[in-house]
Amino acid sequence: MNRRIIYLIFFLSSILISLLYLYNRFSVATENTQSVDLEPVNDRDLTVGIIGDSWVADGHIAGTLQLALKTIGRNSTIFYSGQGGARTKEVYRNLFASKKDVFSSAFIKQKQVKYCVVCCGVNDSFGQYGKSYYAKNMCLIIKELLKYNIKPVIIELPTYGVDQLQEQLHFHNKIKNEIFAFFNSDSGVDNIKEYRAALVEELKKQLLRDKIIFVDYDVICSDYSKCPEYYSDYLHLTTQGNYWLCDEIAKSIDSDWN
């Protein structure tokens, strides 16, 4: 075979693989329209699910939230499922994963909990996946929970050490992040405000804002640099940080439950 033809095939194959990678990386999840009929749960017990990323996976939020609810006189049963490093797209897909999948959160829907706390987005933000990617996947999660009469409790995209994490990246990952930020963000690598605004806009657009409980993260920590004691590293919460987050979640649920 002619060497030029081999080079051309290699070149075209490389472009195709790159395009497939970019599509898979930045495409929003496809909405699952499947409906499941379940017998309604008539009990008045306060049941709460928690789904999300590594903030949920270690179980600290679940235990702390249960204690926070008990402190204000609310006995509750908590169920949780988290996947370290998960983006909103994966959190959405986990709601449909089979029981064999260790990250499946489908059981949250089957139990028809009264509330479900959704805690994710930092991996979308730091990975520079784009505000539309984040906002639309979050709305898919919300709509899926609403199908089961589960009220979503949405934690606003948290503040975290964006700049500090960026500096810790290896050189090629740092450049990759900056390139993705150039194309996906109007505000550069630190895109937190931009992503927050995009979610609020998408919630209004899809008429979902009045169907959820929205936890304002700025009440907990409006600026990462001003509350370092809340973070064990640039991304994850300490025991104290978990306490204040769960205290705010508990107050929001308690206000709605009354």
Side-chain angles (χ1 to χ4, degrees):
M1 185 181 292
N2 187 291
R3 184 179 298 179
R4 291 182 178 179
I5 295 177
I6 294 175
Y7 287 159
L8 179 60
I9 292 173
F10 177 77
F11 176 71
L12 293 175
S13 297
S14 299
I15 291 177
L16 179 60
I17 292 171
S18 297
L19 290 174
L20 288 173
Y21 165 76
L22 291 172
Y23 174 79
N24 183 62
R25 190 182 199 278
F26 295 109
S27 62
V28 175
T30 301
E31 183 173 3
N32 189 320
T33 57
Q34 177 184 357
S35 296
V36 178
D37 294 324
L38 297 173
E39 289 296 324
V41 177
N42 296 317
D43 64 77
R44 287 292 300 165
D45 293 338
L46 176 55
T47 52
V48 181
I50 312 175
I51 59 174
D53 51 32
S54 58
W55 284 36
V56 180
D58 61 14
H60 290 162
I61 284 183
T64 307
L65 178 58
Q66 188 170 44
L67 181 61
L69 286 166
K70 188 174 183 179
T71 300
I72 57 178
R74 299 291 187 189
N75 292 320
S76 63
T77 302
I78 309 287
F79 304 95
Y80 73 93
S81 177
Q83 178 181 353
R87 302 178 300 276
T88 49
K89 185 176 182 178
E90 291 163 325
V91 174
Y92 175 67
R93 288 178 170 175
N94 287 343
L95 285 168
F96 305 94
S98 69
K99 294 179 181 179
K100 296 180 181 179
D101 190 326
V102 68
F103 298 121
S104 173
S105 57
F107 68 94
I108 298 286
K109 299 187 298 183
Q110 301 298 321
K111 292 182 180 297
Q112 298 181 75
V113 295
K114 300 297 189 299
Y115 299 92
C116 185
V117 179
V118 182
C119 181
C120 53
V122 290
N123 295 307
D124 299 46
S125 169
F126 188 63
Q128 304 300 327
Y129 283 82
K131 59 186 178 183
S132 179
Y133 176 101
Y134 165 69
K136 290 182 178 179
N137 282 320
M138 283 292 287
C139 287
L140 286 176
I141 295 170
I142 290 168
K143 289 193 290 185
E144 181 61 22
L145 294 173
L146 290 173
K147 285 183 191 176
Y148 293 80
N149 295 315
I150 298 171
K151 191 155 194 177
V153 181
I154 305 301
I155 299 175
E156 184 177 36
L157 181 63
T159 54
Y160 65 97
V162 183
D163 295 329
Q164 293 86 343
L165 281 171
Q166 178 70 8
E167 286 304 310
Q168 283 192 339
L169 291 176
H170 291 301
F171 177 75
H172 70 282
N173 286 329
K174 186 182 296 185
I175 295 299
K176 183 178 71 172
N177 244 24
E178 290 174 354
I179 291 173
F180 287 155
F182 177 80
F183 287 104
N184 288 324
S185 174
D186 297 326
S187 50
V189 173
D190 187 352
N191 52 33
I192 294 174
K193 291 181 179 179
E194 188 176 332
Y195 277 44
R196 286 178 171 183
L199 178 57
V200 171
E201 184 63 30
E202 192 66 26
L203 289 171
K204 292 178 180 177
K205 180 180 177 181
Q206 298 196 33
L207 304 179
L208 295 172
R209 182 62 183 87
D210 295 333
K211 298 178 182 179
I212 68 170
I213 296 174
F214 191 79
V215 178
D216 182 357
Y217 194 84
D218 278 352
V219 173
I220 303 152
C221 179
S222 61
D223 187 333
Y224 170 82
S225 64
K226 294 180 180 178
C227 40
E229 69 277 11
Y230 289 1
Y231 295 86
S232 58
D233 51 27
Y234 301 127
L235 194 62
H236 300 94
L237 295 177
T238 59
T239 299
Q240 186 178 1
N242 271 315
Y243 170 81
W244 288 113
L245 172 60
C246 290
D247 180 66
E248 196 63 30
I249 297 170
K251 288 189 292 187
S252 299
I253 291 176
D254 179 58
S255 178
D256 186 80
W257 186 255
N258 283 324

